[in-house]
Amino acid sequence: HGNKIVRHGAIWIFVWMYLYFSAPATTHWFFQAIGCVFSVLNFSILYYVLFCFIIPYTWKNEKLVIIPSICVLFTFYFCIRWCISGFLMHFVHLNPPPDLFIHVLTVSGLFFIPISIMAFTSYFNQLALDRLRLEKEREKILMYEELDFLKSQFNSHLTFNFLNFLYSKAHTSSERAAEAIGLFSETLRYSLRIAPEKVVSIQEELEHISGFINLQKCLNQDVYFELLCTGNTDQVKILPRILILFVEDAFRNGISRDPDNPIRVVLETGVSSIVFKMKYKKDLRINKLGSIIDLNVKKYLDLYYRERHRLEISEEHEFCSINLFLNC
């Protein structure tokens, strides 16, 4: 950021020098220098309003608004330019052109067009660089996840043989222990089978969440969890383990043993979108909340669903509410 500020400052100083030395010669050099400063400020306001506000908003949300917005900006720019021209004509150039309005309008257009082109070019160049950097970061994360995935696959054969051995031994003595081992085995098998970048159906994720809940009920007798699903869960695809991370966070940071305040999850699926809502009562004995959400879910959402999601997290005194809107 420091280098960018220095670079922009050097460019605007160069523009001021060009305006000052290319202007008609006059003995009122001080007022002429002040007038050039005002002109550079006018140009910079035009550039940064386009680059930072109008182009990002209209291009991402309302492309039809871009033309009226530019027209309004040009009017504002022209008014400032008119005031600067009046200042220069009064203090520096004592012989104004015969038609000052047409002259200022022409000069304003000649400067407005190249500055607008520069703003558009800079924005799309930065957008391309951001996408390239995001893609590199995504590839790096996928590489590490693939290495972890292959490492898990390397040990999966021994792991499942051992779990099957435990299941067979526990089945004769404790049905509850055998059920817990079976659920844990299925949960582990799903995590190892699904690659991190492979999309799965909502139905598969719901079955994975149900297995996790049943495993929690085996470990703790009093577990209160409500899940309501609407829509077609077989057609909509999503990246794996995004939704269950919210559920895991609720069990880690919330209270699941209160029958009056169970962990509630509502999942609504559309043609190519989902709405995931969850609310749970917080465990006030835990100091830091939402660590899994901050470190994992937000990272995945920003990498894979960059502008196609909205995550809202609201933490009151006793409850935490999470709303996720996702376009798949």
Side-chain angles (χ1 to χ4, degrees), residues 103-142:
H103 174 75
V104 176
L105 183 64
T106 302
V107 173
S108 298
L110 290 176
F111 281 102
F112 184 88
I113 293 175
I115 293 176
S116 300
I117 293 175
M118 289 171 56
F120 274 90
T121 303
S122 299
Y123 174 76
F124 288 112
N125 181 60
Q126 178 176 305
L127 196 64
L129 291 176
D130 290 342
R131 288 177 178 173
L132 182 61
R133 183 170 60 251
L134 188 66
E135 188 65 24
K136 289 183 177 179
E137 185 179 358
R138 177 180 175 182
E139 291 176 358
K140 183 178 179 180
I141 292 175
L142 283 177

Side-chain angles (χ1 to χ4, degrees), residues 14 19 70 74 124 145 264 278:
F14 176 79
L19 294 176
I70 291 178
F74 177 78
F124 288 112
E145 289 178 343
R264 290 186 175 93
M278 185 174 71

Side-chain angles (χ1 to χ4, degrees), residues 230-269:
T230 59
N232 191 343
T233 58
D234 291 324
Q235 300 298 326
V236 182
K237 303 289 185 178
I238 189 176
L239 284 171
R241 290 193 53 79
I242 287 182
L243 301 182
I244 197 172
L245 284 174
F246 291 108
V247 179
E248 291 175 353
D249 183 77
F251 276 92
R252 180 179 291 103
N253 297 319
I255 298 175
S256 59
R257 300 182 181 182
D258 187 353
D260 297 326
N261 297 287
I263 300 174
R264 290 186 175 93
V265 171
V266 177
L267 181 63
E268 303 171 3
T269 59

Side-chain angles (χ1 to χ4, degrees), residues 163-294:
L163 289 174
N164 289 334
F165 169 78
L166 290 180
Y167 180 82
S168 63
K169 293 298 182 182
H171 195 273
T172 58
S173 57
S174 174
E175 290 289 339
R176 187 179 181 85
E179 182 184 1
I181 294 173
L183 290 169
F184 177 74
S185 177
E186 289 300 320
T187 301
L188 183 61
R189 193 186 306 274
Y190 179 84
S191 299
L192 295 177
R193 178 173 57 88
I194 303 299
E197 76 280 5
K198 179 184 177 182
V199 294
V200 297
S201 67
I202 295 294
Q203 183 60 36
E204 292 180 90
E205 281 292 284
L206 288 177
E207 292 174 358
H208 184 46
I209 292 175
S210 298
F212 175 80
I213 300 302
N214 292 331
L215 181 58
Q216 290 291 333
K217 290 180 178 180
C218 288
L219 299 177
N220 303 285
Q221 292 183 353
D222 299 327
V223 172
Y224 298 94
F225 185 90
E226 295 180 0
L227 176 62
L228 176 62
C229 301
T230 59
N232 191 343
T233 58
D234 291 324
Q235 300 298 326
V236 182
K237 303 289 185 178
I238 189 176
L239 284 171
R241 290 193 53 79
I242 287 182
L243 301 182
I244 197 172
L245 284 174
F246 291 108
V247 179
E248 291 175 353
D249 183 77
F251 276 92
R252 180 179 291 103
N253 297 319
I255 298 175
S256 59
R257 300 182 181 182
D258 187 353
D260 297 326
N261 297 287
I263 300 174
R264 290 186 175 93
V265 171
V266 177
L267 181 63
E268 303 171 3
T269 59
V271 178
S272 60
S273 63
I274 67 168
V275 178
F276 177 85
K277 300 180 180 180
M278 185 174 71
K279 185 175 182 179
Y280 61 90
K281 188 175 182 180
K282 298 189 297 184
D283 189 348
L284 300 180
R285 297 171 299 177
I286 300 177
N287 295 324
K288 187 175 182 181
L289 296 176
S291 58
I292 288 294
I293 294 176
D294 292 335

Side-chain angles (χ1 to χ4, degrees), residues 25-56:
T26 176
T27 56
H28 303 82
W29 62 269
F30 177 77
F31 291 108
Q32 182 168 319
I34 296 298
C36 292
V37 170
F38 289 153
S39 296
V40 170
L41 290 176
N42 193 23
F43 297 157
S44 62
I45 291 173
L46 167 63
Y47 175 86
Y48 291 116
V49 169
L50 277 171
F51 178 78
C52 299
F53 299 102
I54 292 182
I55 300 177

